[in-house]
Amino acid sequence: MRDLPSGAALSIRVAQDAPIPLDARIECAAGELLALVGPSGSGKTTILRCIAGLVHPSDGRIVCGGETWLDTSRNLYLPPQRRTVGIVFQDYALFPHMTAIENVMAAMSHVPAAMRVKRAQELLALVHLSGLEDRRPAQLSGGQQQRVALARALARDPNVLLLDEPFSAVDQVTRRRLQRELALLRRAIRVPIILVTHDLEEAALLADRMCILHHGRTLQTAPPAELLARPASPLVARLLDLRNVFDGRIERHAPETGTTWITWQGHMLETPYRPELGEGTSVSWMIPAASVVLHRRDRPSRGERENPVAGTVVEMFALGETATVLIRVDGTDDAVLSLSVPTHVARRNGLDIGIPVRVSLLKDAIHLMPQS
Amino acid sequence: MDWSALILSLQLAGCTVAVLIPLGILAARPLAWRRFTGKGLIEALIALPLVLPPTVLGYYLLVALGGNSPLGEIYEKLVGRPLVFTFEGLLLASIVFNVPFGIQPIQRAFEAIRPAVREAAWCSGMSTWRTFWRVELPLAWPGLVSAAVLTFAHTLGEFGVVLMVGGNIPGETKTIAIAIYDRVQAFDTDAAGLMSGVLLGLSFLAIGSVYILANRRPAPHA
């Protein structure tokens, strides 16, 4: 089997005002999987189409594998045919009149004719479609069609692989399987992979880094864990659907203890040292639900002295092993904290709606964000 | 049975298809895929022969192609014979009155091709030309066949326009539809009946093949 495509990094800068506003900068290393995430209409697909050459932004520069595909300052614009991209469209866009193997071979004009059949068979085997070479798209299931589309994208020996919501048109079970296959397959592909998705969970699962888009702007690019723990702004936190985001004010910095004290609706909270945020400025702060620790009633618990707050349970629901508990914090303007506890812990502590509880906000998990 | 009239009709229909279908493809692609000002007007003009009485269309064609018109004058100077009451004039008229039959089915067929499929072809490295041959034409094929068959059958049966522009010159402009009228006028009902039967059979064959093809066509999208 021939080597799968290999190439160098992808670097994108695109900007325009209309028809869809864009202001995006994206870098993706060879072998890296970057997820473009954002709500509908945030410009994810448009950026993908810019890379493929299907959209011509009014301002921008796209370099892939050392080759410049777009440079508006030099009036350089390579058509899609001259950009070696492999793209899986959202609804796959297979050629309906061709069989699976013909679809794959259609992207092989650069391969000597005598080798195309063998190479196409190899690619179909790679995506687990051996034996279905002669089926037409209409005779294949949604998951099988997606695999043909992936094989066709790889058949081009692309310098970048573009996946536009590739899992959105299949059922849950197939989606899980295809996601697992992609996670395995990508180890063998040494090119940048850009995955467009509105599914945060899918992005966090598959991507090395996630790039958050909003109205065509790239707001933050970071590994999923970092992004979820340290969003750059309250807007990013909101787009990531993060809970426990509140407003506060920097009270004072204490470098000797590595602490920045903030006030939050009458509470004084210690947070990690962030001297760049001036005293007196308004900030947003956030704490992951897993870092809000419930105090046990019968004996002292871990971190009990760290930012203790009291409140009343207002809502509680168990999803399997984990219970989500919402607490209205005493002395605040109806601020509601969300925490996750194992269901058995919730039961042992007799948690129920209306019950008063005490929790600690673990200092190191609190993340401060400047307000824009 | 007027064999020369039948052969003339078949020739006229064949030539009309040969000229109109390539023109139809050229016109149908931008109409199917582009948006531009005046598109609605162009589409209305294309559909106009469907609703215009053939004699009205024939009258205007007669005026436009006649020896006193600029077009007729130029043609006569270049070729040495007039455009009206000749096979060439009849062909031109036939192309005009078949415009809706030659363009609309092809336009519908191109419209049914999803834009992403063409984009996928470009992203697979296919040139615009190769995309046309390998993807667009095979997918639009049933529309092309419909357009060709409808144009062919419609030309065989056209009467009003032919009479206005071509007259009734045996071997030159006397088509089978004219010949039937001619035979009825001469109380030769046997010949008229035979020719009518032939025309009926041909027309049914043509239309039937379009419908059979349409029903056998696999779903365009999975």
Side-chain angles (χ1 to χ4, degrees), chain A residues 29 52 61 73 95 101 211 246 255 276 299 308:
Chain A
R61 188 174 142 83
S73 67
F95 307 127
I101 197 163
C211 173
F246 304 99
E276 77 279 12
R299 56 186 154 99

Side-chain angles (χ1 to χ4, degrees), chain A residues 209-363:
Chain A
R209 287 189 304 148
M210 285 164 72
C211 173
I212 305 293
L213 272 174
H214 185 60
H215 293 318
R217 288 177 64 94
T218 43
L219 297 181
Q220 188 179 5
T221 307
E226 188 189 323
L227 203 61
L228 293 170
R230 306 194 190 292
S233 66
L235 176 61
V236 173
R238 186 166 62 75
L239 292 172
L240 289 168
D241 193 26
L242 296 176
R243 288 170 298 172
N244 294 342
V245 180
F246 304 99
D247 292 335
R249 182 181 298 275
I250 302 285
E251 193 60 30
R252 63 188 168 82
H253 297 296
E256 65 284 0
T257 54
T259 306
T260 290
W261 289 89
I262 65 167
T263 47
W264 170 55
Q265 303 204 2
H267 290 80
M268 187 77 121
L269 303 178
E270 50 177 334
T271 71
Y273 186 49
R274 291 281 297 277
E276 77 279 12
L277 301 166
E279 288 179 2
T281 52
S282 296
V283 290
S284 290
W285 66 275
M286 189 204 94
I287 184 161
S291 299
V292 180
V293 179
L294 183 70
H295 295 183
R296 292 187 58 164
R297 291 174 158 186
D298 44 358
R299 56 186 154 99
S301 346
R302 174 172 73 106
E304 211 170 51
R305 306 233 178 113
E306 254 175 276
N307 298 324
V309 294
T312 312
V313 176
V314 289
E315 205 177 310
M316 194 174 103
F317 49 91
L319 288 173
E321 312 247 298
T322 307
T324 297
V325 183
L326 302 186
I327 297 164
R328 184 182 297 121
V329 181
D330 293 348
T332 65
D333 186 12
D334 282 350
V336 173
L337 261 178
S338 170
L339 66 144
S340 307
V341 291
T343 306
H344 67 91
V345 171
R347 207 174 295 135
R348 194 176 57 213
N349 281 277
L351 288 190
D352 206 345
I353 292 169
I355 301 282
V357 290
R358 292 183 65 80
V359 295
S360 270
L361 311 178
L362 297 184
K363 171 193 166 189

Side-chain angles (χ1 to χ4, degrees), chain A residues 69-84:
Chain A
W69 288 351
L70 174 83
D71 190 346
T72 46
S73 67
R74 286 193 290 144
N75 244 336
L76 176 79
Y77 172 74
L78 288 195
Q81 288 89 348
R82 293 185 50 205
R83 307 181 182 201
T84 39

Side-chain angles (χ1 to χ4, degrees), chain A residues 113-278:
Chain A
M115 292 171 62
R116 285 181 199 162
V117 173
K118 183 168 171 288
R119 174 89 179 122
Q121 283 169 338
E122 285 171 354
L123 282 167
L124 286 172
L126 185 73
V127 295
H128 310 288
L129 280 183
S130 293
L132 301 179
E133 288 89 349
D134 296 326
R135 296 252 189 114
R136 296 218 174 167
Q139 299 166 308
L140 295 170
S141 72
Q144 288 166 339
Q145 290 180 30
Q146 196 258 22
R147 291 184 172 104
V148 176
L150 185 59
R152 182 179 67 182
L154 293 174
R156 181 108 165 91
D157 289 323
N159 281 329
V160 56
L161 184 61
L162 307 174
L163 309 171
D164 188 3
E165 306 251 5
F167 309 110
S168 62
V170 292
D171 60 82
Q172 178 91 20
V173 176
T174 310
R175 186 176 311 151
R176 290 269 169 265
R177 190 162 60 229
L178 292 173
Q179 285 171 345
R180 202 165 55 235
E181 284 175 17
L182 178 66
L184 291 172
L185 179 70
R186 55 165 295 218
R187 291 191 204 153
I189 307 173
R190 301 305 304 166
V191 299
I193 305 173
I194 310 273
L195 168 72
V196 160
T197 179
H198 64 262
D199 184 340
L200 292 165
E201 216 178 304
E202 175 176 297
L205 200 69
L206 292 170
D208 299 312
R209 287 189 304 148
M210 285 164 72
C211 173
I212 305 293
L213 272 174
H214 185 60
H215 293 318
R217 288 177 64 94
T218 43
L219 297 181
Q220 188 179 5
T221 307
E226 188 189 323
L227 203 61
L228 293 170
R230 306 194 190 292
S233 66
L235 176 61
V236 173
R238 186 166 62 75
L239 292 172
L240 289 168
D241 193 26
L242 296 176
R243 288 170 298 172
N244 294 342
V245 180
F246 304 99
D247 292 335
R249 182 181 298 275
I250 302 285
E251 193 60 30
R252 63 188 168 82
H253 297 296
E256 65 284 0
T257 54
T259 306
T260 290
W261 289 89
I262 65 167
T263 47
W264 170 55
Q265 303 204 2
H267 290 80
M268 187 77 121
L269 303 178
E270 50 177 334
T271 71
Y273 186 49
R274 291 281 297 277
E276 77 279 12
L277 301 166

Side-chain angles (χ1 to χ4, degrees), chain A residues 49 52 54 80-83 85-87 89 91-98 102-103 106-109 116 136-138 140 145 152 156, chain B residues 112-131 133-140 218-222:
Chain A
R49 293 169 63 81
L54 299 170
Q81 288 89 348
R82 293 185 50 205
R83 307 181 182 201
V85 299
I87 180 165
F89 288 84
D91 49 7
Y92 318 134
L94 295 176
F95 307 127
H97 57 299
M98 296 185 195
E102 285 168 348
N103 264 280
M108 287 190 177
S109 44
R116 285 181 199 162
R136 296 218 174 167
L140 295 170
Q145 290 180 30
R152 182 179 67 182
R156 181 108 165 91
Chain B
I113 301 175
R114 287 202 331 271
V117 170
R118 297 168 64 221
E119 291 171 349
W122 303 333
C123 290
S124 296
M126 291 190 206
S127 64
T128 322
W129 185 241
R130 195 172 160 78
T131 302
W133 283 108
R134 292 283 315 274
V135 177
E136 293 170 17
L137 264 196
L139 290 176
H221 314 309

Side-chain angles (χ1 to χ4, degrees), chain B residues 35-100:
Chain B
R35 297 179 69 87
F36 49 88
T37 44
K39 182 174 165 180
L41 193 71
I42 290 172
E43 286 180 313
L45 280 173
I46 288 170
L48 197 57
L50 285 177
V51 293
L52 217 53
T55 42
V56 173
L57 190 61
Y59 169 76
Y60 282 116
L61 282 168
L62 189 61
V63 172
L65 307 180
N68 295 328
S69 76
L71 185 66
E73 233 173 290
I74 291 168
Y75 184 86
E76 202 165 338
K77 261 189 199 143
L78 286 176
V79 183
R81 62 191 208 132
L83 202 46
V84 285
F85 307 119
T86 62
F87 182 79
E88 292 80 10
L90 200 55
L91 177 61
L92 199 58
S94 173
I95 289 164
V96 171
F97 73 69
N98 274 303
V99 155

